[in-house]
Amino acid sequence: VKLARLGEAKIIAEITRGVAEHPDVPVGIGDDCAAVRGVARGMLELLKVDGVVEGIHFDPQTDLRRVGWKAVCRPISDIAAMGGLPKYALLTVAVPAEMDLSQLKALSTGIRRACARHGVTLVGGETSRSPGPLFISVTLTGFVERARCVTRSGGSPGDLLYVTGRLGGSLKGWHLDFAPRVKEARWLTEHFTVKAMTDLSDGLAADLPRLAAASECGFTLQREAIPRNRDCSVEDALSNGEDYELLFAIDSRTAKKMERAWRKRFPRLPLVCIGLLEAKGHGLQHISGRGYDHFA
Amino acid sequence: VKLARLGEAKIIAEITRGVAEHPDVPVGIGDDCAAVRGVARGMLELLKVDGVVEGIHFDPQTDLRRVGWKAVCRPISDIAAMGGLPKYALLTVAVPAEMDLSQLKALSTGIRRACARHGVTLVGGETSRSPGPLFISVTLTGFVERARCVTRSGGSPGDLLYVTGRLGGSLKGWHLDFAPRVKEARWLTEHFTVKAMTDLSDGLAADLPRLAAASECGFTLQREAIPRNRDCSVEDALSNGEDYELLFAIDSRTAKKMERAWRKRFPRLPLVCIGLLEAKGHGLQHISGRGYDHFA
């Protein structure tokens, strides 16, 4: 069945299938807005929006279950990078009228799985026809204890820089199936003072200078230390992007203790020191290789 | 200058130009997420997302200042319909690479004006290239006192139905320049018990049955009472959509008093009783004429 024949109400019903009532959501899907209880005292609310576009973030042939998963997990990765937990999602979906119901079902399945896995409740959305590609935008709210909120800007000269996992080669498939590092980031901020953090979405070559600049620091990068995925060059690890790993800065005096505790808690996920923050104007000014720029 | 030559950082800088620091926003634009203070005690948080797509919600020749205005004011209208006030906005913008910087500036101007007019602070967003049409999705958060939150579902048989303003003919231009009825809705919920409310976006023929169904009511509509814009037939007023006026239900015993107070407070904006809610299964079951369905 083509969506053009299905009508808007049935499309929305398909996307919102299985969304249950939630005690913190007095007004959920189906009214003009969602109305939700605010974050608890002592918490900051996190807000993030992120879009994926057919032909840009995924190929037209891609299994839409994976696209739905990716669309939700991208902003979850950002919430993780602030040290927070995701809570509510809202969707904007613009779909070509010639799209088939089975494809919509696949997309919804991926969205639903990603929400369920991460404790996210879908509370609203909007559907429209697209005269061009499939377009999905996901808004996420989340929350974080004030004292555990980590920005990009809290680093200082001398802090050591760590990355989780392995970098590069995401386009071989990983970018559609990745697990955002929520529990790893929560564990880090529970036990240690993480001074600055970001998730690697545009590639280390773009994201590291951005974190350093936000912290008003320079940096030194040990290129050969960068943990790489199989068959990836250092250049790939720097520039491919969409790694969705964490990059963070931590005081050098607590770094060793943190490393030991990490290996106990996450024995299968590498954590590697790739360099350090320096005084502004010192260290590397540019990385050979560059991150992903949508317009470059 | 084409956006393809400008690069993502400059595009973001253009869209976020003039966004100031805000005491309730410890982390604003430029980090992985925005972090904001939660809503005050006694308030519910409102969440809404809404998208506009070139070729669907506006013609390619449209002045993009008006498109930016519309993209922000559409979800504001939904927040008004809940009795709330808007607070934060996040944007997703997918732009064709061949778009010109001057067009982006126009779009940003419209977005900025709509935010400024309604006390909305832009706290985040995401920019991507679009291989097809221009796509803009706006997420809004807002807040409303628990006791003043109005849904579509609180109406009962016998409640009178009112609409603000005049309906029909929005495509002549009004749909790009409308003023969401925020202060009118706030005034209503401050002084009266509004039992159910919605904004008219798909047309009365779609939105009225939806409100009645949510309230588990039937309804009677006095077609000839519907306030119409110049040169509009009753059919136009029922079906054109994008009126962005309020439709609400109020106890018949307070209706007269409300009408008198309204005329003093808003002497230039019509407020007209167009019918009443009935017991389920009574009154009109169908309206001749239909609202707007993106997929019909």
Side-chain angles (χ1 to χ4, degrees):
Chain A
V1 189
K2 300 292 176 203
L3 297 188
R5 299 199 47 191
L6 206 63
E8 201 167 344
K10 284 197 179 140
I11 291 171
I12 293 169
E14 181 52 45
I15 294 174
T16 59
R17 197 157 53 88
V19 174
E21 302 233 327
H22 189 294
D24 291 341
V25 184
V27 184
I29 287 163
D31 218 300
D32 292 303
C33 298
V36 302
R37 290 189 214 295
V39 294
R41 279 171 72 98
M43 298 282 182
L44 289 172
E45 179 173 42
L46 301 174
L47 298 172
K48 179 68 186 181
V49 69
D50 198 27
V52 293
V53 184
E54 181 182 335
I56 303 284
H57 299 89
F58 61 93
D59 290 327
Q61 312 91 302
T62 312
D63 179 349
L64 287 176
R65 278 172 299 191
R66 302 174 77 193
V67 172
W69 174 274
K70 175 176 181 169
V72 173
C73 286
R74 271 168 59 101
I76 291 180
S77 180
D78 288 294
I79 288 198
M82 303 290 289
L85 287 165
K87 178 108 179 156
Y88 300 120
L90 301 104
L91 301 176
T92 310
V93 186
V95 290
E98 67 276 15
M99 197 166 123
D100 199 85
L101 176 59
S102 63
Q103 293 174 288
L104 182 72
K105 278 181 190 285
L107 180 68
S108 307
T109 299
I111 290 170
R112 201 153 35 230
R113 278 185 196 160
C115 287
R117 174 76 63 89
H118 297 97
V120 170
T121 304
L122 185 65
V123 296
E126 191 73 17
T127 312
S128 160
R129 201 153 52 78
S130 167
L134 173 60
F135 185 100
I136 306 151
S137 175
V138 178
T139 303
L140 277 186
T141 75
F143 58 96
V144 61
E145 299 81 355
R146 259 161 223 272
R148 286 170 71 181
C149 181
V150 186
T151 65
R152 295 176 185 167
S153 55
S156 354
D159 290 347
L160 296 184
L161 294 166
Y162 282 84
V163 293
T164 61
R166 295 185 175 85
L167 311 187
S170 65
L171 275 175
K172 288 170 198 160
W174 171 250
H175 75 110
L176 290 163
D177 305 305
F178 69 95
R181 300 301 185 195
V182 181
K183 69 171 182 296
E184 292 83 358
R186 291 292 292 170
W187 178 88
L188 281 168
T189 65
E190 188 186 348
H191 298 286
F192 300 95
T193 301
V194 178
K195 296 180 66 181
M197 185 154 62
T198 190
D199 71 323
L200 294 172
S201 54
D202 292 338
L204 193 62
D207 294 320
L208 169 53
R210 211 176 269 153
L211 180 140
S215 293
E216 302 190 335
C217 288
F219 61 90
T220 292
L221 173 68
Q222 296 177 289
R223 292 167 59 94
E224 61 291 350
I226 301 170
R228 288 175 278 154
N229 276 310
R230 187 183 298 218
D231 299 331
C232 285
S233 66
V234 172
E235 223 45 45
D236 291 337
L238 281 167
S239 304
N240 287 169
E242 301 219 65
D243 303 298
Y244 303 111
E245 294 292 349
L246 299 170
L247 165 68
F248 63 92
I250 195 161
D251 190 293
S252 61
R253 285 163 296 185
T254 51
K256 280 293 153 212
K257 191 178 162 206
M258 186 273 298
E259 273 196 52
R260 279 194 303 272
W262 176 279
R263 284 189 226 299
K264 271 194 198 158
R265 177 66 184 81
F266 303 108
R268 292 162 60 192
L269 187 66
L271 179 74
V272 174
C273 180
I274 57 157
L276 74 163
L277 291 177
E278 304 260 21
K280 203 172 174 177
H282 288 74
L284 275 184
Q285 304 308 310
H286 295 285
I287 298 179
S288 70
R290 41 186 257 184
Y292 187 76
D293 183 324
H294 277 293
F295 292 91
Chain B
V1 189
K2 300 293 178 203
L3 296 188
R5 300 199 46 191
L6 207 62
E8 201 167 343
K10 286 199 177 139
I11 291 172
I12 293 169
E14 181 54 43
I15 294 173
T16 59
R17 196 157 53 88
V19 174
E21 302 234 328
H22 189 294
D24 291 341
V25 185
V27 184
I29 288 163
D31 218 302
D32 292 303
C33 298
V36 304
R37 290 187 214 295
V39 295
R41 279 171 72 99
M43 298 282 181
L44 288 173
E45 179 173 42
L46 301 174
L47 298 172
K48 179 69 187 179
V49 69
D50 198 27
V52 294
V53 183
E54 181 183 336
I56 304 285
H57 299 88
F58 61 93
D59 290 327
Q61 313 90 304
T62 312
D63 179 349
L64 288 176
R65 278 174 299 193
R66 301 174 78 194
V67 172
W69 174 274
K70 175 176 181 169
V72 173
C73 286
R74 271 167 59 101
I76 291 180
S77 180
D78 288 294
I79 288 199
M82 303 290 289
L85 287 164
K87 178 109 179 156
Y88 300 119
L90 301 102
L91 302 176
T92 310
V93 186
V95 291
E98 67 275 16
M99 196 165 122
D100 199 85
L101 176 60
S102 63
Q103 293 174 288
L104 182 72
K105 278 179 189 285
L107 180 69
S108 306
T109 298
I111 290 170
R112 203 153 32 230
R113 278 185 195 159
C115 286
R117 175 76 64 88
H118 298 96
V120 171
T121 304
L122 185 65
V123 296
E126 191 72 17
T127 312
S128 159
R129 201 153 53 78
S130 167
L134 174 61
F135 185 100
I136 306 151
S137 174
V138 178
T139 303
L140 277 185
T141 75
F143 59 96
V144 61
E145 299 82 355
R146 259 159 222 272
R148 286 169 72 181
C149 180
V150 187
T151 65
R152 296 176 184 166
S153 56
S156 355
D159 290 347
L160 296 184
L161 294 166
Y162 283 83
V163 292
T164 61
R166 295 185 177 86
L167 311 187
S170 65
L171 276 175
K172 288 169 198 162
W174 171 249
H175 75 110
L176 290 162
D177 305 306
F178 69 94
R181 300 302 185 193
V182 181
K183 69 172 184 295
E184 293 83 358
R186 290 293 291 170
W187 178 88
L188 281 169
T189 64
E190 188 186 348
H191 297 288
F192 301 94
T193 300
V194 179
K195 296 180 66 181
M197 187 154 61
T198 190
D199 71 322
L200 294 171
S201 53
D202 292 338
L204 193 62
D207 294 321
L208 170 52
R210 211 175 271 155
L211 180 140
S215 294
E216 301 189 335
C217 287
F219 61 90
T220 292
L221 172 69
Q222 296 176 291
R223 292 167 58 94
E224 59 292 348
I226 300 170
R228 287 174 279 154
N229 277 310
R230 187 181 295 217
D231 300 329
C232 284
S233 66
V234 171
E235 223 45 46
D236 291 336
L238 281 167
S239 303
N240 287 169
E242 302 219 66
D243 303 299
Y244 303 110
E245 295 291 350
L246 299 170
L247 165 68
F248 63 91
I250 194 162
D251 190 294
S252 61
R253 285 163 296 186
T254 52
K256 280 294 154 211
K257 191 177 162 207
M258 185 273 299
E259 273 196 52
R260 280 194 304 271
W262 176 280
R263 283 188 227 300
K264 269 194 198 158
R265 176 66 184 82
F266 303 108
R268 291 162 61 191
L269 187 66
L271 179 74
V272 174
C273 179
I274 58 158
L276 74 164
L277 291 177
E278 305 259 21
K280 203 172 175 177
H282 288 75
L284 275 184
Q285 304 307 311
H286 295 286
I287 298 179
S288 69
R290 43 187 255 184
Y292 186 76
D293 184 323
H294 276 291
F295 292 89

